[in-house]
Amino acid sequence: MSNKTDRTKLHIIQTFFTMMDEVGFEEITVANLAKQAKINRGTFYHHFPDKYAVLEEVEEEIYANFEQVLNDHIGWAVTEKIDVYGRQHVARFFKEACLVVMNFLYERKDTAQTLLGEYGRPQFIEKLERAYVSAVQRKIRLNANESTELEKLQQEFIYYGAIAIVKRWIRNGVKESPEEVAEVISKCMTTPPIEIFESIERGEADTK
């Protein structure tokens, strides 16, 4: 594929996501997309069979790479982290692993904001959530199927607490750096919640 072809395809994708953010997926047609991108419809069809293919290609690229990042950096059992790093240093491991994921999302922040925005794709975000939970569960020493219902409730609190932080970060415009968000997630993962609430109530909350 030539550089010109690559640039045209990228331009189509960028135009598509700009329109999706402004008017939503349902309002996009090949005709108005081609007009907005200043190309003819034949050029569009040279790259994609329809508008669904544009969205699917981008989503699959993100999902496949996200899954690889998770497999490479997320999902050690906590007991293994403590064995390797020592309990006093385990927060550093959490932060380093979280930072890889935050950098990945930051590099795709515009697309992520669109997918999480008013005209977003909840099913795609849910797919990323399932990938994260699955990556963690695969490497937990206790098989998730062997957990009691009460233990599963506790796991939900941990998993979806981290996910909620990431969602809020993206929806609020990715104003904080990946390092700051990784620090927050790491702190929430390694500090008893009661201590976090205590520092908030005393006006001492930070990420140090």
Side-chain angles (χ1 to χ4, degrees), residues 3-184:
N3 288 336
K4 182 178 180 181
T5 301
D6 286 342
R7 289 196 300 271
T8 302
K9 186 172 185 179
L10 179 60
H11 177 59
I12 291 171
I13 292 172
Q14 290 172 335
T15 303
F16 172 87
F17 272 89
T18 297
M19 294 181 68
M20 185 172 167
D21 194 41
E22 292 174 350
V23 301
F25 178 78
E26 297 303 326
E27 297 301 318
I28 297 174
T29 66
V30 172
N32 63 24
L33 174 57
K35 182 179 180 179
Q36 185 73 18
K38 295 181 171 59
I39 60 173
N40 59 54
R41 283 190 286 182
T43 300
F44 174 87
Y45 287 122
H46 176 73
H47 295 281
F48 300 100
D50 52 42
K51 69 175 185 177
Y52 297 93
V54 183
L55 188 58
E56 288 168 4
E57 180 168 316
V58 173
E59 287 185 342
E60 284 305 313
E61 182 276 330
I62 294 175
Y63 180 73
N65 284 286
F66 184 68
E67 204 170 33
Q68 187 62 55
V69 166
L70 292 176
N71 288 336
D72 291 344
H73 299 280
I74 303 294
W76 278 33
V78 172
T79 47
E80 290 175 347
K81 295 183 182 78
I82 292 172
D83 288 345
V84 173
Y85 289 88
R87 186 174 296 275
Q88 70 274 27
H89 300 299
V90 73
R92 178 172 62 85
F93 175 90
F94 273 106
K95 182 181 176 181
E96 290 173 355
C98 288
L99 182 56
V100 173
V101 178
M102 294 307 102
N103 280 329
F104 174 88
L105 294 173
Y106 186 81
E107 290 168 2
R108 296 158 176 81
K109 61 182 179 180
D110 292 336
T111 302
Q113 283 178 280
T114 298
L115 292 171
L116 272 172
E118 180 182 357
Y119 301 112
R121 296 265 291 177
Q123 60 269 44
F124 176 67
I125 302 305
E126 289 166 6
K127 190 176 181 181
L128 293 186
E129 292 173 359
R130 289 194 299 271
Y132 165 72
V133 173
S134 177
V136 176
Q137 287 184 335
R138 278 198 302 271
K139 296 181 180 180
I140 291 179
R141 286 177 175 172
L142 176 63
N143 188 299
N145 294 328
E146 297 173 356
S147 300
T148 67
E149 185 59 29
L150 292 178
E151 288 170 338
K152 289 178 180 178
L153 289 174
Q154 294 174 68
Q155 290 173 33
E156 292 279 303
F157 175 80
I158 295 169
Y159 299 148
Y160 290 98
I163 290 170
I165 290 171
V166 174
K167 281 184 173 180
R168 183 179 178 87
W169 176 52
I170 294 173
R171 283 176 173 151
N172 285 351
V174 196
K175 297 172 184 174
E176 296 77 17
S177 70
E179 290 81 4
E180 289 175 309
V181 180
E183 184 76 48
V184 168

